Every structure is written in C-alpha cells, then in structure tokens.
Amino acid sequence: MKNRHEQKLIAPELATTTFKEVALGFDEETAVAEAERCLNCKAKPCVKGCPVGIDIPGFIQELKNKNYINAYTIIKKYSSFPAICGRVCPQENQCEKFCVRNRSGGAVAIGLLERFVADWIYEHEDIKVEKIKQNGKSVAVVGSGPAGLACACELAIKGFEVVIYEALHEFGGVLNYGIPEFRLSKKLLDRELDEAKKLGIKFVKNVLIGRTLTIDNLLVEHDAVFIGNGAGLPIFLGIKGENLNGVYSANEYLTRVNLMNAYNDSAVTPILKKGNVVVVGGGNVAMDAARAAKRLGANVTVIYRRTKDAMPARAEEIAHAELEDIKFQFLTNPVEVIGDEEVESIKCIRMELGEPDASGRRRPVDVPNSEHEIKCDQLIVALGTRPNPIIRSTTKDIKFNDNGTIYTDERYRTSKNKVYAGGDAQSGAATVILAMGAGKVAANTIYEDLI
Ligand code: FAD
Ligand code: SF4
C-alpha cells in the first residue's frame, strides 16, 4: 500500500526571508495519485470527522477521475471557502484523524486534495454567477470574517439583499488581519470577496456596530441581523510590567504586520524588527506571531507552560516553526515583565506537570526557586481572545453566556427577535470551518423564519 504523498515546501532558509506561502500544495499528478489511495469506504468515517459533513469520498472519486468541476461542486455544497479551508483547517484532528488509511501508509491527505481542487478551479474556470431572483427581504451582517461572509453568501444566493458592516478598513476578519500571508495568501481571500461581490453583497467598512450604529438601528433598515463579530478581545497575562512599551497582544501585533505594513520604517505604527522577541502561548496564533516576527528579522523564542505534545497549535505549524529556527522553551511561565519604559527582560518560572485538570490535561504547577530571566526586546502575548463587549453593552434584549459569548438556540437564533449570531462571537474562539458552518446554517434559519 502506498504511503501518503507529501507536499512541497519552500526551503526553510528561504521561507524566513519572505512572507510568501510556505506550503505549496500538490501538483496535478500528485493529487491524482493521492486520491487513488482513498478506499471509498462505505461507512465514510472521514465524513463524521468533518464539522460541516463534506462528502469526502464523493469529491475524491471525482478528483481521481480528473472531474475537477464535479469535485468542486460537491465540496461547495458544504463548504463556502474550500481554498481557504484546504489550507487552514486542522484536518489532522478532524476528517484525517478518522481516515482508515491511518493504519496503512497514513491518512489520505484530504485537506491538500480539497486545496488542489479549489486552486484548479480558480486557475482554469471563470466562475459565473447566475442572475438571482430577489425575495424582497434585506439582512444586515455584522462582521466580514468567515461566519459573516458565509452567512452573507448563502443569503444572497437565496435572494436576500445583504449588507455587511465591518468595523475595520479591510474585509475578511481573521483571514485578513490575523492569519499571515505565508499561510494564507491574501490573493485567495480577495477571490472569495470578489465572488461575494458578484453575488450582489454590499460591503460597508469602518462601521463599528455598537458605536456608529446599534443593532436596533440596523433592525429599522433591515428585516433581520446576523452578528458575526468574532472574539477579538485579547486575554493578557495579568502580571506586573505588562503595560511597558514593547508588549503586544498577538492580535495587535499581527494586525500591525498584516494590515498596517508596520514593518516599513515609514509606517505610522512601526514595530521593532530585530532583537529578541518572546512569544507566550502554544496555539496557532502564537505560531503565526512567532513566524511573522522571524520574517521581520528577530531572534524568536516561544515560551509555553505545558509540554510540546499539549500545544493546541496544528502539528504542521509547530513543525514549520521549528524548521524556521524558532526556539521553544516548554514548562515555562512568565511572572513579571521587567524594564523601565521599554521591556528589557521577562522573569519566568519553571513548571512541572501535576494532576489532571478539568480538561483532562495534567495541570502545570510552579517549581519552587526556579525563577530566571529571559532577555526580551518585544513580548507578544498569545493566550487567547474573548468577544468584545461593545454589542452587549449597547443592545438590551440579547442574552449572553457568562463567558461573554452570545447565547443562541441550535439554529443560531438569539433571544432577540430577528437577530441571529454565529462564529467566534457565539462559540468562543474556535476555527474557520466552524464559523463558516455556523454562518451557513444561520442563513438557512433566517430563510425559514422570514420567507
Ligand atoms: P472573525 O474572523 O474574528 O471576524 C469578525 C469580524 O467582525 C472582523 O472583521 C471584525 O473586525 C469585525 N467586527 C468586530 N466587531 C465588530 C463590530 N462591533 N461592528 C462591525 N464589525 C465588527 N482557525 C482555523 O481553523 N485554522 C487556523 O489555522 C487558524 N489560525 C488562526 C490564526 C490567528 C492569528 C487567529 C487570530 C485565529 C486563527 N484561527 C484559525 C481561528 C479562526 O480564524 C476564527 O475561529 C475565525 O476567523 C472566526 O470567524 P468569525 O467570522 O467568527 O470572526
Ligand atoms: Fe477515503 Fe479515508 Fe474517507 Fe475511507 S476514511 S473514504 S480512505 S478518505
């Protein structure tokens, strides 16, 4: 039985000199050969692992026969943005985890096959949008991340007039300001945004709902509102010295790099490029911040309070970071940021693993007398995010959960009539595919409720 095919990568020594995409995907020959490894299992265990239930063996059989348009049509039934999901979904914990080929040669590379199909279509086909019959109803979508975009596209296809209100000056949410170019090219996002515009969706930027306009204002102009404003409020360490210059949340750091060209010396908000950058955290966001800092010329160390095998980041991202010479210090926790006005070093403590906590993982506990300092010119905190309270503080009758997420029923209806919510704002910080899936289901609920 053949082993799983590997994709090509940019050489590590070149990767850190450019923001270009590092993972190059499959060429046609490799994609077809990889598709041939699929056993077309009757029970379809891989589908059970997919958060949106894509007919995986179905599209792979079409790919095997080089029927790329059919393969794409199958994927698109379930996933709004295959080129994006093929790149950023944690397939190793979803579909690929359940693939029977794990027992012989490795899981079928489902994500890379999805990426191949989407890229092939974009390169070879001019996607045309049929004229859509309008249904006379209008929906406001708050936020242009994957949840908002998926909801908007699905609504537009169903004949709604859709207006997306976005707080920032660019669209796409985390796909634009968070995930860096070396993992997700902006060209791909622009293509998805163009598709959305072809569907007639109107995009309005620089409108912060909760300040410029409220949800109640939107309900005067529109028949319904979908809230997909994400979870962009960073969680900090809560330690002494954290407000010194040179300490950033990962979100702010990545936004400066991705949206505000902060690496140009002439930028309004430049960031330090050389020196020692320390990133705290073990998730995808930490890996993105570390790899971005490396590309700007810094010497980067990631510190994480647990061990490597407990890191929530995708295995692929950790491997890329290691190849790019990013250093890791595990079982280490910062206790103080030291400096005068600027950060100069971080006082850390060693940790060891104790009894399991509520998550089932062994809880890290302090090792007595293990304090030590790490030199640091810039500290990036990547400990997670929660929803921004601006909509909560300006909308009376929407129920929120204790953690600040919006309460909805299973069809994404909030407690306020004609208001729906999905994505990170409703689930807490999660994944692109879950946000996209929620947006799509919410659009179907709006259709059922309004038409
Ligand atoms: P968002 O993408 O956050 O979009 C929300 C949008 O709403 C933003 O554009 C925001 O500006 C706008 N907004 C906020 N408040 C308002 C307001 N009041 N009025 C108007 N607009 C508003 N997931 C993966 O699956 N794979 C990955 O590899 C991955 N990597 C990640 C890397 C980083 C750096 C980050 C931060 C996240 C990553 N994620 C990843 C998580 C994933 O990106 C999110 O789960 C997903 O983007 C959530 O989508 P969303 O539409 O709910 O919110
Ligand atoms: Fe193909 Fe793996 Fe799914 Fe079986 S489990 S149908 S081999 S992708």
Side-chain angles (χ1 to χ4, degrees):
M1 285 283 214
K2 277 196 183 136
N3 286 344
R4 174 182 166 117
H5 294 82
E6 296 302 331
Q7 64 176 326
K8 290 203 178 74
L9 304 176
I10 293 190
E13 61 277 14
L14 292 181
T16 52
T17 64
T18 165
F19 270 79
K20 279 194 188 142
E21 217 175 358
V22 169
L24 303 176
F26 284 155
D27 56 25
E28 184 171 5
E29 194 185 332
T30 316
V32 173
E34 182 63 14
E36 278 164 3
R37 295 185 62 243
C38 173
L39 305 175
N40 197 9
C41 311
K42 264 214 173 98
K44 305 182 183 187
C46 49
V47 178
K48 289 179 196 136
C50 173
V52 295
I54 296 177
D55 175 9
I56 293 165
F59 97 76
I60 294 181
Q61 297 319 299
E62 295 292 353
L63 198 171
K64 204 188 274 183
N65 297 322
K66 301 194 179 181
N67 293 329
Y68 303 130
I69 296 176
N70 292 358
Y72 183 73
T73 310
I74 292 175
I75 303 173
K76 270 297 256 191
K77 239 194 256 170
Y78 307 85
S79 166
S80 308
F81 314 117
I84 293 174
C85 292
R87 284 167 168 83
V88 304
C89 268
Q91 291 100 5
E92 66 278 13
N93 295 322
Q94 301 176 350
C95 50
E96 292 180 11
K97 186 175 171 183
F98 297 94
C99 174
V100 296
R101 291 292 318 247
N102 275 305
R103 293 195 289 267
S104 55
V108 172
I110 300 167
L112 286 166
L113 295 182
E114 180 185 17
R115 168 184 171 161
F116 170 80
V117 169
D119 288 359
W120 190 94
I121 290 292
Y122 284 129
E123 274 161 34
H124 296 88
E125 294 291 314
D126 181 19
I127 298 166
K128 295 207 172 56
V129 175
E130 313 253 316
K131 189 148 174 52
I132 299 164
K133 190 166 172 271
Q134 295 296 296
N135 64 29
K137 302 276 183 193
S138 158
V139 180
V141 170
V142 181
S144 64
L149 280 176
C151 183
C153 290
E154 195 69 17
L155 287 168
I157 290 166
K158 291 178 165 15
F160 288 87
E161 181 196 76
V162 186
V163 184
I164 296 186
Y165 296 89
E166 167 56 51
L168 294 177
H169 61 288
E170 285 192 28
F171 302 103
V174 170
L175 303 176
N176 195 347
Y177 74 75
I179 302 180
E181 181 78 18
F182 52 81
R183 248 186 353 111
L184 180 66
S185 131
K186 298 290 169 278
K187 216 170 67 190
L188 287 171
L189 175 62
D190 288 345
R191 255 177 358 201
E192 301 297 356
L193 292 170
D194 282 348
E195 291 301 308
K197 284 175 193 155
K198 277 191 210 162
L199 289 171
I201 296 166
K202 199 170 153 207
F203 286 80
V204 185
K205 59 186 174 185
N206 298 322
V207 178
L208 182 65
I209 300 302
R211 183 157 304 153
T212 330
L213 292 169
T214 63
I215 297 290
D216 287 308
N217 293 149
L218 294 179
L219 283 169
V220 175
E221 299 289 323
H222 304 275
D223 298 294
V225 176
F226 172 79
I227 306 174
N229 67 326
L233 193 67
I235 297 169
F236 278 95
L237 290 154
I239 58 175
K240 194 172 160 202
E242 212 172 4
N243 51 2
L244 288 173
N245 287 337
V247 180
Y248 296 95
S249 72
N251 265 28
E252 179 185 347
Y253 185 85
L254 287 167
T255 303
R256 285 180 184 228
V257 174
N258 290 336
L259 283 195
M260 297 157 84
N261 303 328
Y263 42 83
N264 288 334
D265 292 330
S266 57
V268 188
T269 54
I271 47 176
L272 193 72
K273 287 192 283 192
K274 306 262 181 247
N276 295 307
V277 168
V278 174
V279 179
V280 186
N284 284 322
V285 183
M287 295 306 100
D288 283 344
R291 296 175 69 202
K294 186 76 191 181
R295 281 160 174 75
L296 298 184
N299 176 32
V300 186
T301 306
V302 173
I303 59 179
Y304 180 53
R305 66 194 187 119
R306 296 177 191 262
T307 48
K308 181 176 169 184
D309 55 349
M311 283 175 79
R314 294 190 65 191
E316 182 181 322
E317 301 313 321
I318 301 169
H320 285 156
E322 285 174 335
L323 277 174
E324 292 168 9
D325 202 24
I326 286 163
K327 294 172 199 70
F328 287 84
Q329 222 170 293
F330 297 108
L331 291 169
T332 304
N333 207 22
V335 289
E336 186 181 341
V337 186
I338 298 170
D340 197 359
E341 277 188 18
E342 307 275 335
V343 51
E344 287 164 16
S345 67
I346 308 167
K347 192 190 278 178
C348 294
I349 189 163
R350 298 276 308 150
M351 312 296 286
E352 61 188 4
L353 295 180
E355 294 301 312
D357 61 16
S359 71
R361 297 184 300 173
R362 290 177 65 193
R363 186 194 301 276
V365 289
D366 298 357
V367 174
N369 304 318
S370 64
E371 285 182 354
H372 58 283
E373 273 184 42
I374 299 177
K375 264 184 77 64
C376 172
D377 304 299
Q378 195 161 258
L379 173 66
I380 305 173
V381 181
L383 295 182
T385 53
R386 56 169 77 101
N388 188 307
I390 191 158
I391 289 185
R392 182 176 198 166
S393 60
T394 53
T395 321
K396 273 199 207 104
D397 30 10
I398 296 186
K399 201 169 141 193
F400 284 79
N401 298 306
D402 291 345
N403 63 1
T405 53
I406 302 174
Y407 169 83
T408 69
D409 68 10
E410 71 284 1
R411 301 283 300 168
Y412 301 100
R413 296 179 187 93
T414 71
S415 52
K416 190 173 169 72
N417 195 25
K418 308 270 173 65
V419 181
Y420 304 77
D424 283 5
Q426 181 265 355
S427 60
T431 59
V432 171
I433 188 89
L434 286 171
M436 195 199 72
K440 220 170 159 156
V441 174
N444 285 313
T445 310
I446 295 172
Y447 179 78
E448 286 158 23
D449 289 354
L450 262 62
I451 303 295

